[in-house]
Amino acid sequence: MAATKLPVSRPTEVLTVELGERSYSIVIDAGSLDDLGTLLAERCQPQRCAVVTNPTVGKHYLDRTLAALQAAGFTPLTVEIPDGEQFKSFASLTSIYDRLLTAKLDRSAPLIALGGGVIGDLTGFAAATYLRGVPFVQVPTTLLAQVDSSVGGKTGVNHPLGKNLIGAFYQPSLVVIDVTTLSTLPRRELVAGLVEVIKYGVILDAELFALLERDLERLLGRDESLLTQIVSRCCSLKAAVVQRDEREQDYRSILNFGHTLGHAVEALTDYKRYLHGEAVAIGMVFAARLSRARGLCSDETEKRIVRLLERAGLAVDVPHGLSSADIAAAVAGDKKVSGGKIKFVCVEDLGRTRFELVTSQEIARLAVHRGADSE
Amino acid sequence: MAATKLPVSRPTEVLTVELGERSYSIVIDAGSLDDLGTLLAERCQPQRCAVVTNPTVGKHYLDRTLAALQAAGFTPLTVEIPDGEQFKSFASLTSIYDRLLTAKLDRSAPLIALGGGVIGDLTGFAAATYLRGVPFVQVPTTLLAQVDSSVGGKTGVNHPLGKNLIGAFYQPSLVVIDVTTLSTLPRRELVAGLVEVIKYGVILDAELFALLERDLERLLGRDESLLTQIVSRCCSLKAAVVQRDEREQDYRSILNFGHTLGHAVEALTDYKRYLHGEAVAIGMVFAARLSRARGLCSDETEKRIVRLLERAGLAVDVPHGLSSADIAAAVAGDKKVSGGKIKFVCVEDLGRTRFELVTSQEIARLAVHRGADSE
């Protein structure tokens, strides 16, 4: 993965994710949305294409997106999916397929995801499977999608029995990140996205963690140059992980730090009480606690993690009312379970992790006995 | 791709399809079904797994399949899908997902397709997308699936607007072909599968074509040693094509010889009148005619193709009652259309092809004016 500066007036960051024939570029700056058409035209013939978005994002950015595509010679059609995690579904997928087929889009026509993680994952899975695969472009408009879901090729939909249970690994042809789109993001979602940023610091980059400790307020104030810098750093970190282990055979699962319990908490509260990042914050604090309880990390490391998340305004405790049995069952249903044991991501120090094999019962026990353990 | 003989009493053929990290073996012989468990255990830990089949195939081979898996330490569950092309659907896919999720099969558990092309394509797509991909094993029980759909990684389901419109490229971990399963295949399906065998002769292998001309009757009499030889040769030919162009960027589309018009004829007769291979036979004869009409191949080449298909008992004429407009519209809906022109596979000589850019109107005109053109 290489980072280069483009010779333009804005401080554009261009990362290349090196995955052989599936390599692609991530363009990051303030204002890049208006360059989408030009950037895409460098990669494929201007032609018909489809933009998938939701009304919340669409009302702010759809016109600019369509204008940018049209100016470069593309003829975009729009597919609108209602806003919300519950629409990351087979029904939405079917509505995308139907629209593309009715419009007779052929296998060279790009699908463009304009929105957050739901739109990105859904559109990516549609792109992976429509006519056995068409070019896919990500234009992530939430912090979470910018630093996490738009890099790495995980696509999919939810199933009534769980999130992201059906999907595919499918790399985009291009990712265009315009950090100015974060100006319209509700603060709660900005903070939830920040959890994944903090996660990169914890698992891979102590310097990033320290930078976040220092500049948290500037970041929450949406300073564009800081956002460009941070988003670019997170994308680089994630790209490096994905390059090493594209299909999550092993190493890539360090990115699941905080997600084992996070997913369980989301599921047990019906995906209503917490945003994904908020649940992961609880999971990260729990993972730090489990790591410290096993003697893998220091008290100080655990405390710095808890403190930064709390400063961002996040709740860090496992919600009351969840039983140990419920948690154990939810954790056992995780996709990452193999042979009854969970490969749990522990922290050793800021920027350093290790895997521990843990049973769902152990996790559940420690999760509900927070008080006793913390005394 | 390498062919080696295993040191066993039966004349087992083992081909290796070389696709880097996605390489896999095809084991071909009479009786290999009983070795399925052993062969699979060489590739993954014995564990829970799922066999997807239909009642028609299941009544003959499911018990043997389950016994072979159990003997090697696997714990198989069975998912039964009704028999028929109309069940290559989202509804069937959903029923597979639901079954796997309810049984909590994890991402290391193999999915085994026991059946023809419908079961193979459907199970392959389920394997490609369940938990973003699980190991996939093909046990094809029709001649068509043995020589065609089980090699090459195309998986998918039909959509109300057309066949195979939704799918993925996903390579199996193992293909086990037992030619004795062809003993229970209805003759009509054997002949339909033979069309794809003849196709390999036409596009890639004049020697195979001559062998078929010589031994057609022995083949239709299901001589096991000849079947093993022919199936193995076809798999080798297809594997070589797929190795050169896995995702059908270009060269692989020679395998679509006869399929442009074949698909249109299938669609226009509602997938009821013809089996896939029967429609492809009509399409192959048409492709030979178009090639000859353009001066690309000799009269003799066209005649040998027509004669061999007719000797196998196949109808070779475009059915009456299809209008030029219907054919043009059906052809224009083909996935392979790009920029309004179809990359049509023509034959130059037995074993040699070339692509020609042809419009759907040209195809339709020639297809309905058979009489006039043949005079």
Side-chain angles (χ1 to χ4, degrees):
Chain A
M1 199 217 44
T4 50
K5 298 271 180 185
L6 278 188
V8 292
S9 51
R10 297 191 310 261
T12 304
E13 297 273 349
V14 181
L15 309 173
T16 305
V17 184
E18 305 281 2
L19 293 167
E21 58 188 15
R22 294 184 301 287
S23 297
Y24 63 94
S25 296
I26 307 175
V27 178
I28 305 156
D29 83 359
S32 56
L33 183 58
D34 300 314
D35 302 331
L36 175 62
T38 318
L39 291 164
L40 188 54
E42 286 165 11
R43 285 155 181 90
C44 72
Q45 205 69 354
Q47 60 189 288
R48 295 169 72 209
C49 62
V51 178
V52 182
T53 191
N54 68 35
T56 313
V57 174
K59 83 174 168 225
H60 293 296
Y61 304 110
L62 182 59
D63 287 348
R64 267 174 69 195
T65 304
L66 298 179
L69 289 165
Q70 283 157 348
F74 289 90
T75 308
L77 63 87
T78 305
V79 185
E80 206 176 73
I81 302 293
D83 190 10
E85 180 80 32
Q86 71 270 36
F87 296 103
K88 190 167 149 183
S89 64
F90 274 98
S92 299
L93 191 63
T94 302
S95 73
I96 297 176
Y97 292 147
D98 290 353
R99 189 68 202 291
L100 303 179
L101 286 169
T102 309
K104 295 186 192 300
L105 254 66
D106 70 31
R107 55 170 61 165
S108 63
L111 274 197
I112 299 155
L114 173 70
V118 168
I119 290 294
D121 287 7
L122 179 66
T123 308
F125 190 50
T129 53
Y130 179 65
L131 306 181
R132 293 202 193 92
V134 297
F136 172 42
V137 177
Q138 292 257 38
V139 185
T141 59
T142 66
L143 182 58
L144 178 61
Q146 290 180 354
V147 299
D148 182 35
S149 44
S150 71
V151 186
K154 284 193 179 177
T155 71
V157 296
N158 300 331
H159 184 279
L161 293 175
K163 275 178 75 176
N164 296 319
L165 292 175
I166 308 303
F169 285 92
Y170 195 69
Q171 301 299 340
S173 309
L174 171 68
V175 179
V176 175
I177 298 179
D178 185 340
V179 295
T180 67
T181 60
L182 301 180
S183 65
T184 50
L185 191 68
R187 180 169 169 116
R188 185 176 170 195
E189 288 197 43
L190 184 76
V191 169
L194 190 60
V195 173
E196 298 282 348
V197 175
I198 294 171
K199 183 193 77 178
Y200 289 114
V202 173
I203 63 173
L204 290 165
D205 191 342
E207 228 177 75
L208 171 63
F209 193 91
L211 186 152
L212 293 169
E213 288 181 317
R214 199 185 61 218
D215 287 335
L216 183 68
E217 282 68 29
R218 248 180 83 208
L219 196 60
L220 291 172
R222 311 182 199 214
D223 177 294
E224 283 178 8
S225 120
L226 183 61
L227 279 170
T228 300
Q229 183 194 345
I230 295 277
V231 168
S232 171
R233 188 136 172 180
C234 291
C235 288
S236 296
L237 290 165
K238 179 152 187 189
V241 172
V242 170
Q243 282 167 193
R244 188 163 146 190
D245 176 19
E246 185 181 356
R247 296 181 71 89
E248 195 165 335
Q249 304 296 307
D250 181 22
Y251 176 67
R252 180 168 174 168
S253 44
I254 65 162
L255 298 175
N256 292 315
F257 181 75
H259 283 61
T260 304
L261 189 69
H263 282 153
V265 165
E266 275 186 285
L268 293 171
T269 53
D270 288 331
Y271 300 99
K272 284 181 186 144
R273 180 161 164 192
Y274 299 100
L275 295 177
H276 173 68
E278 291 169 343
V280 170
I282 293 169
M284 280 168 56
V285 166
F286 174 76
R289 190 150 61 89
L290 187 144
S291 305
R292 197 251 309 138
R294 293 199 164 206
L296 300 172
C297 79
S298 67
D299 270 21
E300 177 58 19
T301 296
E302 184 193 359
K303 278 184 189 143
R304 281 179 69 187
I305 294 170
V306 174
R307 209 179 304 135
L308 184 56
L309 290 165
E310 286 183 336
R311 274 178 60 205
L314 289 149
V316 297
D317 293 331
V318 177
H320 288 290
L322 298 189
S323 77
S324 165
D326 287 345
I327 293 177
V331 165
D334 196 285
K335 300 201 264 325
K336 280 94 192 175
V337 173
S338 185
K341 289 248 185 181
I342 291 148
K343 217 173 69 182
F344 194 89
V345 189
C346 287
V347 57
E348 292 188 312
D349 197 354
L350 290 174
R352 214 171 71 231
T353 57
R354 64 181 282 175
F355 294 120
E356 292 271 299
L357 288 178
V358 186
T359 65
S360 52
Q361 290 78 10
E362 286 174 81
I363 291 171
R365 208 178 308 124
L366 188 59
V368 296
H369 289 291
R370 188 179 203 302
D373 173 81
S374 306
E375 276 164 15
Chain B
M1 200 218 45
T4 50
K5 297 271 181 186
L6 278 188
V8 294
S9 51
R10 296 193 309 261
T12 303
E13 297 273 349
V14 181
L15 309 173
T16 305
V17 184
E18 305 281 3
L19 293 167
E21 58 189 12
R22 295 183 302 286
S23 297
Y24 63 94
S25 295
I26 307 175
V27 178
I28 305 156
D29 83 356
S32 57
L33 184 57
D34 299 313
D35 301 331
L36 174 63
T38 319
L39 291 164
L40 188 55
E42 287 167 9
R43 286 158 181 88
C44 73
Q45 205 70 354
Q47 60 188 288
R48 297 170 71 210
C49 60
V51 178
V52 182
T53 192
N54 67 38
T56 313
V57 174
K59 82 174 171 226
H60 294 296
Y61 304 110
L62 181 59
D63 287 348
R64 269 175 68 196
T65 303
L66 297 178
L69 289 165
Q70 282 156 351
F74 290 89
T75 308
L77 62 87
T78 304
V79 185
E80 207 176 74
I81 302 293
D83 190 9
E85 180 80 33
Q86 69 271 38
F87 296 102
K88 190 167 149 183
S89 63
F90 274 97
S92 299
L93 191 63
T94 302
S95 74
I96 297 176
Y97 292 147
D98 290 353
R99 189 67 203 291
L100 302 179
L101 286 169
T102 309
K104 294 188 194 299
L105 254 65
D106 70 31
R107 57 169 60 166
S108 63
L111 275 198
I112 299 154
L114 173 69
V118 169
I119 290 293
D121 287 5
L122 179 65
T123 308
F125 190 50
T129 53
Y130 179 65
L131 306 180
R132 292 201 194 93
V134 298
F136 172 43
V137 177
Q138 292 256 37
V139 186
T141 60
T142 65
L143 182 57
L144 177 61
Q146 290 180 353
V147 299
D148 182 36
S149 44
S150 71
V151 186
K154 284 192 181 179
T155 71
V157 295
N158 299 332
H159 184 279
L161 294 176
K163 276 179 76 176
N164 296 317
L165 292 176
I166 309 303
F169 285 91
Y170 195 69
Q171 301 298 340
S173 309
L174 171 68
V175 179
V176 175
I177 298 179
D178 185 341
V179 296
T180 68
T181 60
L182 301 180
S183 66
T184 51
L185 191 68
R187 181 171 169 115
R188 185 177 170 194
E189 288 198 41
L190 184 75
V191 169
L194 189 59
V195 173
E196 298 282 348
V197 175
I198 295 171
K199 182 192 78 176
Y200 290 115
V202 173
I203 62 172
L204 289 164
D205 190 341
E207 227 178 75
L208 171 62
F209 193 90
L211 187 151
L212 293 169
E213 289 181 317
R214 199 185 62 218
D215 287 335
L216 182 69
E217 282 68 30
R218 248 180 84 209
L219 196 59
L220 291 172
R222 310 184 199 215
D223 178 294
E224 283 178 9
S225 121
L226 182 61
L227 279 170
T228 300
Q229 183 193 343
I230 295 277
V231 169
S232 171
R233 187 139 173 177
C234 291
C235 288
S236 296
L237 289 166
K238 180 153 186 188
V241 172
V242 170
Q243 282 167 195
R244 187 162 146 191
D245 176 20
E246 186 181 356
R247 297 181 70 90
E248 197 166 333
Q249 305 295 310
D250 181 24
Y251 176 68
R252 180 168 174 169
S253 44
I254 65 161
L255 297 174
N256 292 316
F257 180 75
H259 283 61
T260 305
L261 188 70
H263 283 153
V265 165
E266 276 186 285
L268 293 171
T269 53
D270 288 329
Y271 301 99
K272 284 180 185 144
R273 179 161 167 192
Y274 299 100
L275 296 177
H276 174 69
E278 292 169 344
V280 170
I282 293 169
M284 280 168 56
V285 167
F286 174 76
R289 190 152 59 91
L290 188 146
S291 304
R292 197 249 311 137
R294 292 198 165 208
L296 300 171
C297 78
S298 67
D299 269 21
E300 177 58 19
T301 297
E302 184 193 359
K303 279 185 187 142
R304 281 178 72 185
I305 295 170
V306 174
R307 208 180 305 135
L308 184 56
L309 290 165
E310 286 183 334
R311 273 179 61 204
L314 288 150
V316 297
D317 294 330
V318 176
H320 288 291
L322 298 190
S323 76
S324 164
D326 287 345
I327 293 177
V331 164
D334 196 284
K335 301 203 263 326
K336 280 94 192 174
V337 173
S338 184
K341 288 248 184 179
I342 292 148
K343 218 172 68 183
F344 194 89
V345 189
C346 288
V347 56
E348 293 189 312
D349 196 353
L350 291 173
R352 214 171 70 232
T353 58
R354 64 181 283 174
F355 293 121
E356 291 271 301
L357 288 178
V358 185
T359 65
S360 52
Q361 289 78 9
E362 287 174 80
I363 292 172
R365 208 177 309 125
L366 188 59
V368 296
H369 289 291
R370 188 181 204 302
D373 175 81
S374 308
E375 277 164 14

